[in-house]
């Protein structure tokens, strides 16, 4: 990443601004609101959008990162100490590790499928939604191993 550049997410896409040369450039292929921008520990710039999903930026090109079964409406992202990227979406919490992803939902113990904000503090991921806040240690695998109660009615 170049320290002289600023990236700004707007309602119509992502912009690169160079305050020294007083120039700006819209990053092509992004035509929806950019909700969050993050530079990872390996210096990769990731960003989420409200309609086009997750991207990374390479040589001023937006590279889409497909996540199977995930909504393309993503509102937040953060990286934990292990390099895992956590993404808030309107249809669950996404755990993304290079070319591998998992989606966690209410059935996994979250308070809602509509996740709006994320924060990591002392190796715990805090997950915010319109229905409340929950947290769990980042080392925990969110898996519901309790079978659902089945009731047969005649």
């Amino acid at each position: 990443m170049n320290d002289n550049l600023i990236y700004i997410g707007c309602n119509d896409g992502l912009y690169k601004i160079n305050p020294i040369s007083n120039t700006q450039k819209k990053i092509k292929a992004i035509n929806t609101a950019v909700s969050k921008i993050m530079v990872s520990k390996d210096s990769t710039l990731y960003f989420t959008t409200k309609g086009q999903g997750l991207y990374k930026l390479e040589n001023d090109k937006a590279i889409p990162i497909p996540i199977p079964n995930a909504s393309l409406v993503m509102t937040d992202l953060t990286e934990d100490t292990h390099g895992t990227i956590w993404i808030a979406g309107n249809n669950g919490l996404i755990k993304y590790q290079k070319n591998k992803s998992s989606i966690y939902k209410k059935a996994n113990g979250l308070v809602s499928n509509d996740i709006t904000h994320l924060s990591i503090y002392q190796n715990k991921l805090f997950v915010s939604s319109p229905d409340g806040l929950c947290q769990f240690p980042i080392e925990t695998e969110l898996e519901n191993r309790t079978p659902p109660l089945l009731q047969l009615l005649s």
Side-chain angles (χ1 to χ4, degrees):
M1 295 301 318
N2 184 334
D3 289 338
N4 295 327
L5 299 176
I6 300 170
Y7 289 91
I8 298 178
C10 297
N11 283 333
D12 65 342
L14 182 69
Y15 291 83
K16 177 176 80 169
I17 297 173
N18 186 329
I20 295 171
S21 65
N22 200 25
T23 58
Q24 73 175 16
K25 175 186 174 188
K26 185 175 189 301
I27 303 298
K28 293 179 182 175
I30 306 301
N31 300 310
T32 190
V34 172
S35 50
K36 183 75 181 253
I37 301 169
M38 178 193 79
V39 178
S40 67
K41 290 173 180 36
D42 68 1
S43 299
T44 302
L45 188 141
Y46 290 94
F47 60 97
T48 55
T49 68
K50 292 184 178 181
Q52 289 182 260
L54 176 66
Y55 283 81
K56 66 180 175 179
L57 196 67
E58 289 182 357
N59 302 316
D60 285 346
K61 288 188 178 183
I63 310 296
I65 299 174
I67 299 176
N69 303 314
S71 167
L72 296 178
V73 178
M74 300 176 179
T75 54
D76 199 4
L77 77 161
T78 190
E79 183 179 23
D80 67 25
T81 54
H82 305 293
T84 299
I85 296 175
W86 297 89
I87 305 160
N90 72 340
N91 196 22
L93 172 67
I94 302 160
K95 179 181 181 181
Y96 175 76
Q97 298 165 305
K98 305 288 182 197
N99 302 317
K100 179 183 168 189
S101 62
S102 303
I103 301 173
Y104 301 107
K105 298 184 177 202
K106 201 170 181 177
N108 299 99
L110 298 178
V111 295
S112 173
N113 288 338
D114 186 7
I115 308 302
T116 56
H117 295 89
L118 303 171
S119 184
I120 294 179
Y121 179 70
Q122 294 182 344
N123 280 333
K124 291 183 182 176
L125 179 66
F126 289 81
V127 180
S128 172
S129 79
D131 297 326
L133 178 71
C134 65
Q135 59 86 19
F136 58 90
I138 58 174
E139 291 86 14
T140 301
E141 190 63 39
L142 292 178
E143 187 175 324
N144 186 354
R145 295 177 190 213
T146 306
L149 181 62
L150 182 61
Q151 185 177 24
L152 299 175
L153 301 174
S154 58

